[in-house]
Amino acid sequence: MSGDRAEFEKFLGLSEVLTGFTKFRLQGTGQGALYFSTLTDVVGQGTAGELLQAWSGVAAAAGQDEGKLERLMRSEILSHEKLGPIARNLIKLWFVGTWYQLPAAWREVFGTPERDRSFVPAASSYVEGLLWPTIGANPTGAKGPGYGTWADPPNIPKV
Amino acid sequence: MSHLSSRISRTDHASASTQIYDAVIVGSGVAGSILANELGRQGFSVLVLEAGPGNDLSIAEYEASVERFYLSASKDNNSPYAVNRNAPMPRGQETVKLQPGRPNADGYIVQNGPLELDSTYTRVVGGTTRHWEGKALRLIPEDFEMRTRHGQGLDWPLKYETLKSYYAKAEAEIGVSADVEDQGYLGISFEPGYVYPMRKIPISYLDQVIGKNLDGAKVELDGETFSLVVRSTPQARNGVPHPGYDNGKGYVAPSAVSTHQDEMGQRCQGNNNCVPICPVQAKYDARRTLVKALETGRVHLLSQTVVSRVHIDSGNGRVTHIEYKAYKDLHGKEHSAGTVKARVFILAANAVENARLMLASGLPGSSGLVGRNLMDHAYLLTWALMPEIVGTMRGSQCTSGIEELRGGAFRRKQAAFRAGIHNDGWGWATGAPYTDLLALVDDQNKFGRALQRGLVDRISRQLLLDFMVEVLPDPANRITVDPDHRDQLGNMRPVLSYRLNDYTLDGVAFARQLSRRIYQRLGAEDHTTYSPQEPGWVDYQGGGFVIRGGNHWAGTHLMGSSPKNSVVDANQRSWDYPNLYLAGSGSMPSIGTANTTLTLAALCLISAGHIAKELRSAPTAAAAR
C-alpha cells in the first residue's frame, strides 16, 4: 500500500466514525478522493497528516471498544484546539458537501490558509450530501423522488 | 420537443436599430413574454430587450444554472444566476440592519429605510419567474374594491368579473394545477364548466397531518366566525392534465424549453427547490412563453441590452425612441449605446425597474405617482416542531395553505392574510437544514450516529407557516433614483423607502396569535423568535416582529380611473404618453393576499388585446409590416 493510499484509508476510517456511515456508504457518494484532497489542499499536508495520525492513535488505542472510541475521539480530536475544528468541517463536508471556512479563532491561532473559504468542491458534492438520506429526503433540487411521492408517510431509516 | 433554431428569426443591434417595430418591449419576464407572444401571434413585429445575459433558452444554459446552484455555498434565491455587474440584481443577503439616517448603498437597491426589505428579483431571460415558487392564486373579488367595500386602500378601475376570463387564459398560459372544487371561496367564481388545466398537485403528508387536526377550527374576528381548513394551493407546475379541460378537449402540459430529455418539463418530481430553480423545468417560467413568441418568427430578442432612457416628443407627448446600452460581458463595462424605435413601447421590466427607468428618464408622471405606492407582501414567518415525524423536505415547497382570512368585514380595521404551509422546513426563517447541522456539530458536539439521530429529530418534524399579510398602497413607500448611486454602466440604481403601517401590523399581530393557537391545537413546539437586531424588525406594542419580503413588488405605476389618481389606465396605458404602456405588477392598486404573477399575467392579456386593436386602427399599421 502506497503512502497516499494508506493516508486515504485513514481518512475514510476517521470519516466513518465522524459521520456514522460505513466506508462502503461513504465511497458510494463518489466524493471520498475529492474530500481527501480538499482537506489536504485547504489545511496543507502537514496539518492533515497530524489529524490522521491522531486518528490512528485513537483507533489503535480503542480497538473494538466503542465507548472508549467515543471518549478518545472527544479527548484527542474533537476537543483539540487545532484538530477539532477540522474534524467538524469534515463532518459538514460529508453531510452537505460544503467546506465551511474554519472558525475565526482557529484562523487567528493557526493561520489563514489561502483556500480556506466556504465553498462546494463539486456540484456532485452537494448532490451526494449525506444529510438528505439521513432525514428520508433527497437533496433539494436533485434526485427528484417522483410525482406525488410526498403524499405518502415518510419512511426514515432507523439509526 | 422544440427546434428553436429553425423557427426563430434572429437579429442584432445594428439591424434592430434600422427597423420600426410595431412594439418594443423592455423585459423578457412573464409580462414581457406574454405581451410579445400575443402580439407576435397576431402578426405584429416585436422587439424584446432583456438586460440579463445570454439566450438562456438552451438546455445547456439551464443546466449551467442548476449547477451554479449546486456549487453555491449561499443558495439564496438568485444563486443559480451569474453575478452580472452590468445588470445587477438585488440579493437577500445584501439587506442588513440599517442605522437610522444612514442608507445602505452596498447592494444593488439602495435602502433608505426606515424598514429594511429583503425582497429580490432576477434580471435574466425569463425574469423573476426563473426563481419564483409558482403559487398561482387569484385575487378575491373584494380585493378589487378595497375603498368601496372596506374604506381602505384603492379601488381598481376593473372588477373581478372583468378579469375572470383572463384569469382562466392566464392559468392556461402558465399551466396551473388546481381543482376548482377547492378554490371557490370568498366569492372567487369561475366561468361555467371551468376546470383548471391540470389536476391539483397532491397535498403533502405534512398537510394531511395538519388538516386532520386543524380543519374546522373556529376563529373569531370582528364579529365574524371563520372555520379554518387546509386547502390545496394552485400552482404553476406540471401535474396531471385534466381530461375535462376546455369542454373536454383536454390540456397538453407545456414542456421544458429546448429539450429532448424525457425527464424534463414533465410533472413535478418533488425536488423541493421551486425557489431558486426547478431542476427539471416542471415549474413554469416565462421562457416557455418567450419561446412561443420567438417561434412566431415576428419577435426578436436582444439580451445583454440595458434600457437606459425613454425619450418623449415634447410636442405630442409620444415616445419617440428608447436608448439602450448593450454590454459585451458580465464583468467589464465595455458596451455600445444605441436606440430602437417602435409604434408602441411597453415597459415590462418589473415594478422596481419600470419605475427606475421612468424616473431615470425624467418622467415622474403628471400625477407624480411613478415609483410611489410600492407594495410587497409583509411575510411573518412562524416555526414549530410537530409532535411526530412528518417528512419535512419532501414535495414542492408548499402544497397547501389556509385561506379563510383573506377576506371579511375585519378588513375595515386590519390587514387580511393567508398562511402557506411549508414542506421545506424552517429554511426561509432559520437557514435549515444547514443551520441545524451546524448547531448539532458545533454547539451540541454530536458526531456519528448520534448526529444522524439529531438531524432526524430536528429536521423531520419541522413546520413553517408563512403568513402573507396584505400591505396597502402608501405614497411614502417608493422607488426613487439618485445621480450619486449608479451601476457600472452609469444607470441610476433604484433607491427604496419603505415602512409598514398599523393596518398591516395589526394583521401581523393577529397572524402571530393565530399561529400560537394553531401550534397549541397541533401539539407542536413553537420555536419562533424575533430579534430587534435583525433587518425587518418592527416594534409593535412593546414587542415586535421580523417582517420578510415576498418579492411581490407592485404599485409603482398603479392603474386607476383618472390621470390624477394613477399612472396607467385599466389597459396599463400611460395616461401621459399615449404610445407607452407600463405592464406588470406595478399596475396593481392592491395586492390583497395573492402572489402577483397570475394577476399580472391576466392584466397583460387584457393589455395585449387592447394594444393589438390600437395598432390595427392606427393609420400606419399595415404599412409598417
Side-chain angles (χ1 to χ4, degrees), chain B residues 14 42 59 190 207 212-213 215 227 235 240 252 256 283 288 322 352 363 383 432 473 497 526-527 535 581 597 611:
Chain B
Q42 294 183 55
I59 193 68
F190 302 89
D207 297 336
K212 201 167 65 190
N213 294 292
D215 282 357
S227 183
Q235 297 160 63
V240 179
V252 178
K283 179 188 76 177
R288 284 188 189 169
I322 271 178
V352 175
L363 304 172
W383 54 103
S497 302
D526 196 336
H527 284 252
Y581 293 78
T597 296
I611 294 168

mmCIF file of all heavy atoms in Angstrom, chain B residues 14 42 59 190 207 212-213 215 227 235 240 252 256 283 288 322 352 363 383 432 473 497 526-527 535 581 597 611:
data_model
loop_
_atom_site.group_PDB
_atom_site.id
_atom_site.type_symbol
_atom_site.label_atom_id
_atom_site.label_comp_id
_atom_site.label_asym_id
_atom_site.label_seq_id
_atom_site.Cartn_x
_atom_site.Cartn_y
_atom_site.Cartn_z
ATOM 1 N N ALA B 14 -27.426 46.213 -34.732
ATOM 2 C CA ALA B 14 -27.334 47.099 -35.900
ATOM 3 C C ALA B 14 -28.619 47.043 -36.716
ATOM 4 O O ALA B 14 -29.201 48.084 -37.066
ATOM 5 C CB ALA B 14 -26.126 46.701 -36.746
ATOM 6 N N GLN B 42 -50.440 37.677 -33.375
ATOM 7 C CA GLN B 42 -51.424 38.435 -34.149
ATOM 8 C C GLN B 42 -50.797 39.187 -35.316
ATOM 9 O O GLN B 42 -51.425 40.039 -35.923
ATOM 10 C CB GLN B 42 -52.187 39.390 -33.224
ATOM 11 C CG GLN B 42 -53.032 38.627 -32.213
ATOM 12 C CD GLN B 42 -53.843 39.563 -31.341
ATOM 13 O OE1 GLN B 42 -54.597 40.384 -31.845
ATOM 14 N NE2 GLN B 42 -53.672 39.437 -30.033
ATOM 15 N N ILE B 59 -30.881 23.969 -23.209
ATOM 16 C CA ILE B 59 -30.819 23.096 -22.042
ATOM 17 C C ILE B 59 -29.457 23.226 -21.364
ATOM 18 O O ILE B 59 -29.347 23.159 -20.146
ATOM 19 C CB ILE B 59 -31.145 21.635 -22.434
ATOM 20 C CG1 ILE B 59 -31.393 20.788 -21.188
ATOM 21 C CG2 ILE B 59 -30.064 21.015 -23.284
ATOM 22 C CD1 ILE B 59 -32.640 21.149 -20.448
ATOM 23 N N PHE B 190 -65.914 31.067 -11.111
ATOM 24 C CA PHE B 190 -65.287 30.640 -12.359
ATOM 25 C C PHE B 190 -66.326 30.668 -13.463
ATOM 26 O O PHE B 190 -67.525 30.638 -13.198
ATOM 27 C CB PHE B 190 -64.716 29.223 -12.203
ATOM 28 C CG PHE B 190 -63.706 29.119 -11.100
ATOM 29 C CD1 PHE B 190 -64.095 28.825 -9.792
ATOM 30 C CD2 PHE B 190 -62.358 29.321 -11.356
ATOM 31 C CE1 PHE B 190 -63.160 28.746 -8.764
ATOM 32 C CE2 PHE B 190 -61.425 29.244 -10.326
ATOM 33 C CZ PHE B 190 -61.821 28.955 -9.033
ATOM 34 N N ASP B 207 -49.250 18.307 5.134
ATOM 35 C CA ASP B 207 -50.551 18.981 5.017
ATOM 36 C C ASP B 207 -51.670 18.100 5.572
ATOM 37 O O ASP B 207 -52.595 18.584 6.237
ATOM 38 C CB ASP B 207 -50.899 19.264 3.549
ATOM 39 C CG ASP B 207 -49.938 20.219 2.861
ATOM 40 O OD1 ASP B 207 -49.300 21.011 3.568
ATOM 41 O OD2 ASP B 207 -49.838 20.153 1.626
ATOM 42 N N LYS B 212 -55.892 17.101 9.409
ATOM 43 C CA LYS B 212 -56.609 16.180 10.295
ATOM 44 C C LYS B 212 -56.871 16.826 11.660
ATOM 45 O O LYS B 212 -57.898 16.622 12.283
ATOM 46 C CB LYS B 212 -55.770 14.898 10.457
ATOM 47 C CG LYS B 212 -56.541 13.684 10.912
ATOM 48 C CD LYS B 212 -55.716 12.417 10.726
ATOM 49 C CE LYS B 212 -54.490 12.435 11.635
ATOM 50 N NZ LYS B 212 -53.521 11.382 11.366
ATOM 51 N N ASN B 213 -55.903 17.607 12.101
ATOM 52 C CA ASN B 213 -56.007 18.198 13.437
ATOM 53 C C ASN B 213 -56.546 19.621 13.449
ATOM 54 O O ASN B 213 -56.909 20.128 14.505
ATOM 55 C CB ASN B 213 -54.626 18.182 14.108
ATOM 56 C CG ASN B 213 -54.149 16.773 14.379
ATOM 57 O OD1 ASN B 213 -54.722 16.073 15.216
ATOM 58 N ND2 ASN B 213 -53.155 16.322 13.645
ATOM 59 N N ASP B 215 -58.616 21.200 10.614
ATOM 60 C CA ASP B 215 -59.834 21.511 9.862
ATOM 61 C C ASP B 215 -61.019 21.687 10.809
ATOM 62 O O ASP B 215 -61.236 20.874 11.702
ATOM 63 C CB ASP B 215 -60.145 20.393 8.851
ATOM 64 C CG ASP B 215 -59.260 20.475 7.616
ATOM 65 O OD1 ASP B 215 -58.451 21.418 7.528
ATOM 66 O OD2 ASP B 215 -59.352 19.576 6.753
ATOM 67 N N SER B 227 -64.088 29.355 9.833
ATOM 68 C CA SER B 227 -63.779 27.958 10.101
ATOM 69 C C SER B 227 -62.599 27.566 9.209
ATOM 70 O O SER B 227 -62.696 27.575 7.980
ATOM 71 C CB SER B 227 -65.020 27.115 9.774
ATOM 72 O OG SER B 227 -64.766 25.780 10.100
ATOM 73 N N GLN B 235 -50.937 25.899 -8.262
ATOM 74 C CA GLN B 235 -49.506 26.058 -8.533
ATOM 75 C C GLN B 235 -49.220 25.957 -10.022
ATOM 76 O O GLN B 235 -49.777 25.108 -10.702
ATOM 77 C CB GLN B 235 -48.707 24.954 -7.817
ATOM 78 C CG GLN B 235 -48.813 25.007 -6.312
ATOM 79 C CD GLN B 235 -48.459 23.684 -5.659
ATOM 80 O OE1 GLN B 235 -47.334 23.215 -5.765
ATOM 81 N NE2 GLN B 235 -49.429 23.067 -5.002
ATOM 82 N N VAL B 240 -51.156 16.434 -13.451
ATOM 83 C CA VAL B 240 -51.863 15.534 -14.359
ATOM 84 C C VAL B 240 -52.890 16.363 -15.135
ATOM 85 O O VAL B 240 -53.773 16.969 -14.539
ATOM 86 C CB VAL B 240 -52.582 14.425 -13.565
ATOM 87 C CG1 VAL B 240 -53.336 13.495 -14.518
ATOM 88 C CG2 VAL B 240 -51.576 13.645 -12.724
ATOM 89 N N VAL B 252 -52.620 20.016 -22.951
ATOM 90 C CA VAL B 252 -51.279 19.451 -23.106
ATOM 91 C C VAL B 252 -50.331 20.293 -22.262
ATOM 92 O O VAL B 252 -50.154 21.478 -22.517
ATOM 93 C CB VAL B 252 -50.839 19.453 -24.581
ATOM 94 C CG1 VAL B 252 -49.427 18.895 -24.708
ATOM 95 C CG2 VAL B 252 -51.824 18.647 -25.419
ATOM 96 N N ALA B 256 -40.489 21.493 -21.250
ATOM 97 C CA ALA B 256 -39.353 22.339 -20.920
ATOM 98 C C ALA B 256 -38.906 23.082 -22.168
ATOM 99 O O ALA B 256 -39.299 22.742 -23.280
ATOM 100 C CB ALA B 256 -38.219 21.486 -20.392
ATOM 101 N N LYS B 283 -41.772 23.485 -13.310
ATOM 102 C CA LYS B 283 -42.367 24.763 -12.935
ATOM 103 C C LYS B 283 -42.364 25.702 -14.133
ATOM 104 O O LYS B 283 -41.409 25.722 -14.906
ATOM 105 C CB LYS B 283 -41.533 25.371 -11.797
ATOM 106 C CG LYS B 283 -42.005 26.721 -11.320
ATOM 107 C CD LYS B 283 -41.010 27.338 -10.346
ATOM 108 C CE LYS B 283 -39.787 27.880 -11.073
ATOM 109 N NZ LYS B 283 -38.845 28.555 -10.156
ATOM 110 N N ARG B 288 -40.867 29.756 -21.367
ATOM 111 C CA ARG B 288 -41.806 28.927 -22.141
ATOM 112 C C ARG B 288 -42.639 29.796 -23.078
ATOM 113 O O ARG B 288 -42.831 29.472 -24.249
ATOM 114 C CB ARG B 288 -42.765 28.198 -21.198
ATOM 115 C CG ARG B 288 -42.162 27.025 -20.484
ATOM 116 C CD ARG B 288 -43.272 26.292 -19.747
ATOM 117 N NE ARG B 288 -42.742 25.276 -18.856
ATOM 118 C CZ ARG B 288 -43.465 24.645 -17.945
ATOM 119 N NH1 ARG B 288 -44.743 24.950 -17.787
ATOM 120 N NH2 ARG B 288 -42.928 23.725 -17.186
ATOM 121 N N ILE B 322 -36.245 54.550 -27.662
ATOM 122 C CA ILE B 322 -35.677 54.091 -26.397
ATOM 123 C C ILE B 322 -34.181 53.928 -26.594
ATOM 124 O O ILE B 322 -33.731 53.472 -27.642
ATOM 125 C CB ILE B 322 -36.360 52.755 -25.974
ATOM 126 C CG1 ILE B 322 -37.606 53.047 -25.127
ATOM 127 C CG2 ILE B 322 -35.412 51.870 -25.206
ATOM 128 C CD1 ILE B 322 -38.361 51.804 -24.721
ATOM 129 N N VAL B 352 -40.107 47.614 -9.851
ATOM 130 C CA VAL B 352 -38.987 48.459 -9.438
ATOM 131 C C VAL B 352 -38.286 49.030 -10.664
ATOM 132 O O VAL B 352 -38.040 50.239 -10.761
ATOM 133 C CB VAL B 352 -37.979 47.655 -8.583
ATOM 134 C CG1 VAL B 352 -36.756 48.499 -8.257
ATOM 135 C CG2 VAL B 352 -38.650 47.162 -7.307
ATOM 136 N N LEU B 363 -39.209 61.186 -16.057
ATOM 137 C CA LEU B 363 -40.645 61.088 -16.320
ATOM 138 C C LEU B 363 -41.414 60.639 -15.066
ATOM 139 O O LEU B 363 -41.866 59.501 -14.970
ATOM 140 C CB LEU B 363 -40.894 60.075 -17.458
ATOM 141 C CG LEU B 363 -40.154 60.339 -18.779
ATOM 142 C CD1 LEU B 363 -40.331 59.178 -19.735
ATOM 143 C CD2 LEU B 363 -40.638 61.645 -19.409
ATOM 144 N N TRP B 383 -42.487 29.266 13.226
ATOM 145 C CA TRP B 383 -41.999 27.914 13.003
ATOM 146 C C TRP B 383 -42.056 27.069 14.276
ATOM 147 O O TRP B 383 -41.939 27.582 15.383
ATOM 148 C CB TRP B 383 -40.608 27.920 12.375
ATOM 149 C CG TRP B 383 -39.536 28.707 13.067
ATOM 150 C CD1 TRP B 383 -38.537 28.206 13.829
ATOM 151 C CD2 TRP B 383 -39.307 30.137 13.008
ATOM 152 N NE1 TRP B 383 -37.707 29.209 14.256
ATOM 153 C CE2 TRP B 383 -38.152 30.398 13.773
ATOM 154 C CE3 TRP B 383 -39.968 31.210 12.380
ATOM 155 C CZ2 TRP B 383 -37.635 31.694 13.935
ATOM 156 C CZ3 TRP B 383 -39.459 32.502 12.549
ATOM 157 C CH2 TRP B 383 -38.310 32.737 13.316
ATOM 158 N N ALA B 432 -32.417 26.458 7.806
ATOM 159 C CA ALA B 432 -32.447 25.000 7.883
ATOM 160 C C ALA B 432 -32.371 24.429 6.465
ATOM 161 O O ALA B 432 -32.793 25.092 5.518
ATOM 162 C CB ALA B 432 -33.756 24.543 8.539
ATOM 163 N N PRO B 473 -51.465 50.463 -0.445
ATOM 164 C CA PRO B 473 -50.659 51.484 -1.111
ATOM 165 C C PRO B 473 -50.421 52.664 -0.182
ATOM 166 O O PRO B 473 -51.351 53.160 0.448
ATOM 167 C CB PRO B 473 -51.507 51.884 -2.326
ATOM 168 C CG PRO B 473 -52.898 51.427 -2.025
ATOM 169 C CD PRO B 473 -52.773 50.260 -1.109
ATOM 170 N N SER B 497 -37.546 53.502 -0.304
ATOM 171 C CA SER B 497 -38.002 53.943 1.020
ATOM 172 C C SER B 497 -39.197 53.078 1.393
ATOM 173 O O SER B 497 -40.119 52.937 0.578
ATOM 174 C CB SER B 497 -38.434 55.415 0.997
ATOM 175 O OG SER B 497 -37.367 56.222 0.556
ATOM 176 N N ASP B 526 -43.543 25.512 19.621
ATOM 177 C CA ASP B 526 -43.322 26.780 18.923
ATOM 178 C C ASP B 526 -41.876 27.231 19.154
ATOM 179 O O ASP B 526 -41.470 27.445 20.287
ATOM 180 C CB ASP B 526 -44.315 27.821 19.474
ATOM 181 C CG ASP B 526 -44.434 29.036 18.584
ATOM 182 O OD1 ASP B 526 -43.492 29.308 17.823
ATOM 183 O OD2 ASP B 526 -45.488 29.708 18.648
ATOM 184 N N HIS B 527 -41.114 27.353 18.099
ATOM 185 C CA HIS B 527 -39.713 27.792 18.219
ATOM 186 C C HIS B 527 -39.496 29.192 17.652
ATOM 187 O O HIS B 527 -38.361 29.614 17.472
ATOM 188 C CB HIS B 527 -38.791 26.802 17.499
ATOM 189 C CG HIS B 527 -38.580 25.534 18.266
ATOM 190 N ND1 HIS B 527 -37.401 25.210 18.892
ATOM 191 C CD2 HIS B 527 -39.426 24.493 18.511
ATOM 192 C CE1 HIS B 527 -37.522 24.031 19.491
ATOM 193 N NE2 HIS B 527 -38.742 23.576 19.270
ATOM 194 N N PRO B 535 -32.624 42.613 10.357
ATOM 195 C CA PRO B 535 -33.298 43.511 9.431
ATOM 196 C C PRO B 535 -34.766 43.110 9.303
ATOM 197 O O PRO B 535 -35.092 41.922 9.387
ATOM 198 C CB PRO B 535 -32.557 43.306 8.104
ATOM 199 C CG PRO B 535 -31.700 42.100 8.269
ATOM 200 C CD PRO B 535 -31.546 41.839 9.732
ATOM 201 N N TYR B 581 -46.839 51.920 -22.566
ATOM 202 C CA TYR B 581 -47.530 51.042 -21.613
ATOM 203 C C TYR B 581 -46.547 50.650 -20.526
ATOM 204 O O TYR B 581 -45.374 50.394 -20.804
ATOM 205 C CB TYR B 581 -48.059 49.788 -22.323
ATOM 206 C CG TYR B 581 -49.165 50.128 -23.305
ATOM 207 C CD1 TYR B 581 -48.854 50.669 -24.558
ATOM 208 C CD2 TYR B 581 -50.497 49.939 -22.979
ATOM 209 C CE1 TYR B 581 -49.858 51.014 -25.448
ATOM 210 C CE2 TYR B 581 -51.506 50.281 -23.871
ATOM 211 C CZ TYR B 581 -51.180 50.824 -25.104
ATOM 212 O OH TYR B 581 -52.170 51.170 -25.974
ATOM 213 N N THR B 597 -48.041 37.180 -9.729
ATOM 214 C CA THR B 597 -47.773 36.768 -11.111
ATOM 215 C C THR B 597 -49.032 36.435 -11.902
ATOM 216 O O THR B 597 -49.205 36.886 -13.038
ATOM 217 C CB THR B 597 -46.795 35.575 -11.132
ATOM 218 O OG1 THR B 597 -45.556 36.011 -10.598
ATOM 219 C CG2 THR B 597 -46.579 35.063 -12.544
ATOM 220 N N ILE B 611 -53.721 46.626 -27.116
ATOM 221 C CA ILE B 611 -52.613 47.147 -27.939
ATOM 222 C C ILE B 611 -52.785 46.678 -29.393
ATOM 223 O O ILE B 611 -52.576 47.449 -30.333
ATOM 224 C CB ILE B 611 -51.250 46.696 -27.353
ATOM 225 C CG1 ILE B 611 -51.031 47.354 -25.993
ATOM 226 C CG2 ILE B 611 -50.115 47.036 -28.310
ATOM 227 C CD1 ILE B 611 -49.865 46.788 -25.184
#
